[in-house]
Amino acid sequence: MQTATIDTSGLKRRLWPEDGITRIPYWAYQDPDVYRQEQARVYQGDTWSYLCLEAEVANVGDFVNTFIGETPVVVARDQDGELYAFENRCSHRGALICLENAGNTEQFTCVYHAWSYDLQGTLKGVAFEAGVGGKGGMPEGFCKEDHSPRKLRVATTCGLVFASFSDDVPDIEAYIGEAVLARIRRILGKGEVEVLGRFTQKLPNNWKLYFENVKDSYHASLLHLFLTTFDVNRLTQKGGLIVSEDGGNHVSYSMVIPGEKHGSEYRDQGIRSENSSYRLKDPSFLDGHDEIGDGITLQILSVFPGFVLGQVYNSFVVRQVLPKGQEETELNWTYFGFRDDTPEQRRARLKQLNLVGPAGLVSMEDGCVGGFVQRGVATAGEGSALVQMGGEASVSTDTRATEASVRGFWRAWRKHMDV
């Protein structure tokens, strides 16, 4: 694998608040120098970034065009059955090699000057390499294989495809950690995955605000009216939080127990999310079955820096969080089920997929709340957010009335950024 050394010595150093990870400085979402440094230290550093589902590149010649941070990347399955990933940048003049989002091909050819690459990203063809009529062409001794795009380290686990620019990052299972990995297996170990649909969503905020939000188990039943109105998720329900040893990965989960009576905690505090006046015209929309057998009805899981796996009842979705500038994020949703779903299971899954996604009944508010923060802190660069729910630690706990996994995110971020 080819590697590149990125000089970050000229980047401005910022001071972190003395309160540690219970205070998050607003400059972390605003400073363009910090954003540039993230591209080097986080996305091209010692991390694994999610690329796609293995089901999306199941056959020889299948490819997906995606990103790691802002770096365009192609992942493809070669004739040997292995997956390869390489930077989507022609070695000649830097144009994109692959323009399609996904497909199947025997090779990739740059549209600019017709330089061609195999499924491993190795340069194989140069148009008029020998010139025309003995004139022109590439110099004697030119070696095509020496001029291939950067190639990445690829790893798969539980049907997920990750890649890294680093040779030093631990293997993917160690990077995720057994406690979080077990919760990935819980869903993706059910059978052969089948993609059911996709959405791409643009968010008006820094990528970290959305990824924090994913890890924020405290906000869900406060921001999302649907969750408490229809008892999908309440902080008073049985559940908990798993935070990986390094803080970067997490799982939040809860259970709906049939017949469970809810107290007046939300109503007594006058919380907006307690609104019993709404009704579902078709209550069967929320009818589900415990297909995993552990009683968990909601699970949100993340792997630093941009992978999210979610379950709400019988709906399953993968999210890929991509930075698109200091104040813009792209969110790619991939809905999935399993090839051996019964017709009844598939029908329930498709209906419940309306819960998630850009306009999902339990997730649509997340698309705008990050923008509210980005706008709210626009002139508060030297201020900081207070993240003290549940104390100061970033460890696993049996309550979700905590910001432990948010603090864990910032612990991991600070380590990678050397802040």
Side-chain angles (χ1 to χ4, degrees):
M1 183 186 72
Q2 296 171 323
T3 59
T5 300
I6 302 173
D7 183 9
T8 60
S9 59
L11 296 174
K12 181 172 59 177
R13 299 281 296 175
R14 299 299 302 252
L15 295 178
W16 194 269
E18 294 181 358
D19 303 73
I21 52 177
T22 63
R23 287 280 184 176
I24 312 304
Y26 292 135
W27 53 253
Y29 313 109
Q30 302 170 328
D31 192 324
D33 200 58
V34 169
Y35 181 80
R36 287 193 297 273
Q37 191 167 5
E38 286 173 341
Q39 298 303 312
R41 292 182 175 270
V42 173
Y43 294 104
Q44 298 193 31
D46 294 337
T47 61
W48 286 103
S49 290
Y50 170 74
L51 298 183
C52 64
L53 294 167
E54 277 199 88
E56 298 177 89
V57 282
N59 303 310
V60 170
D62 285 352
F63 68 88
V64 169
N65 189 353
T66 183
F67 289 85
I68 293 181
E70 287 198 334
T71 303
V73 170
V74 176
V75 56
R77 191 174 295 277
D78 197 10
Q79 299 289 338
D80 61 4
E82 297 296 320
L83 289 171
Y84 296 88
F86 53 93
E87 189 171 356
N88 188 6
R89 176 182 54 80
C90 184
S91 306
H92 179 214
R93 299 289 297 279
L96 293 172
I97 300 168
C98 178
L99 300 178
E100 297 177 335
N101 291 333
N104 185 280
T105 188
E106 295 182 355
Q107 66 175 17
F108 299 96
T109 302
C110 176
V111 69
Y112 198 179
H113 296 93
W115 285 33
S116 60
Y117 302 81
D118 66 15
L119 294 167
Q120 297 185 25
T122 302
L123 178 62
K124 290 295 185 180
V126 173
F128 296 106
E129 181 179 357
V132 178
K135 299 178 181 179
M138 300 301 289
E140 185 178 351
F142 175 76
C143 178
K144 291 188 286 293
E145 285 75 10
D146 291 341
H147 296 276
S148 300
R150 273 194 297 175
K151 298 183 180 181
L152 286 71
R153 185 177 166 192
V154 176
T156 61
T157 185
C158 304
L160 305 170
V161 183
F162 291 85
S164 179
F165 285 98
S166 171
D167 285 325
D168 297 323
V169 64
D171 65 66
I172 188 64
E173 285 81 10
Y175 180 84
I176 295 173
E178 182 54 38
V180 176
L181 189 61
R183 294 306 186 100
I184 296 177
R185 294 192 191 107
R186 171 184 170 271
I187 293 177
L188 288 168
K190 282 179 46 56
E192 188 177 353
V193 167
E194 184 172 6
V195 174
L196 302 181
R198 298 181 180 86
F199 278 102
T200 295
Q201 182 178 6
K202 299 291 187 181
L203 305 176
N205 51 263
N206 186 273
W207 70 275
K208 296 186 292 298
L209 285 169
Y210 186 82
F211 206 56
E212 273 185 315
N213 180 77
V214 167
K215 293 174 174 287
D216 181 358
S217 56
Y218 171 49
H219 89 279
S221 62
L222 304 174
L223 173 66
H224 304 299
L225 184 64
F226 191 94
L227 288 177
T228 47
T229 299
F230 300 104
D231 297 329
V232 176
N233 183 26
R234 291 170 176 256
L235 287 174
T236 53
Q237 290 172 341
K238 184 179 180 180
L241 197 68
I242 299 170
V243 182
S244 66
E245 187 174 342
D246 70 347
N249 314 322
H250 101 292
V251 183
S252 174
Y253 63 95
S254 62
M255 304 178 185
V256 173
I257 300 176
E260 181 180 20
K261 301 294 184 182
H262 297 293
S264 60
E265 292 91 347
Y266 285 80
R267 185 170 56 255
D268 291 347
Q269 297 179 73
I271 294 173
R272 182 195 74 90
S273 55
E274 177 74 4
N275 191 325
S276 59
S277 64
Y278 293 105
R279 296 289 185 271
L280 286 174
K281 186 173 182 180
D282 178 12
S284 69
F285 169 59
L286 292 179
D287 288 347
H289 56 284
D290 186 4
E291 61 182 297
I292 296 175
D294 55 12
I296 293 174
T297 49
L298 188 147
Q299 175 180 289
I300 302 297
L301 178 155
S302 70
V303 175
F304 185 91
F307 170 76
V308 184
L309 173 64
Q311 170 207 351
V312 184
Y313 289 127
N314 301 109
S315 67
F316 300 121
V317 64
V318 163
R319 284 174 265 180
Q320 180 190 35
V321 183
L322 294 173
K324 293 298 178 182
Q326 182 182 317
E327 297 185 2
E328 186 176 346
T329 300
E330 182 175 285
L331 182 59
N332 293 320
W333 301 79
T334 304
Y335 305 140
F336 67 91
F338 300 93
R339 289 199 179 275
D340 61 357
D341 283 346
T342 66
E344 293 76 21
Q345 286 176 322
R346 182 57 57 87
R347 188 179 305 111
R349 213 181 297 289
L350 291 172
K351 288 172 69 175
Q352 290 175 10
L353 283 174
N354 288 288
L355 295 166
V356 294
L361 294 168
V362 301
S363 56
M364 61 181 170
E365 294 93 343
D366 294 327
C368 59
V369 73
F372 295 165
V373 177
Q374 194 79 49
R375 289 155 57 191
V377 304
T379 59
E382 300 309 314
S384 60
L386 180 65
V387 188
Q388 290 184 333
M389 286 295 296
E392 299 181 355
S394 53
V395 296
S396 302
T397 174
D398 61 359
T399 179
R400 289 166 296 123
T402 178
E403 292 166 317
S405 52
V406 177
R407 291 189 290 271
F409 166 77
W410 286 105
R411 182 155 61 90
W413 184 88
R414 290 185 66 186
K415 177 183 177 182
H416 287 286
M417 292 287 286
D418 191 26
V419 173

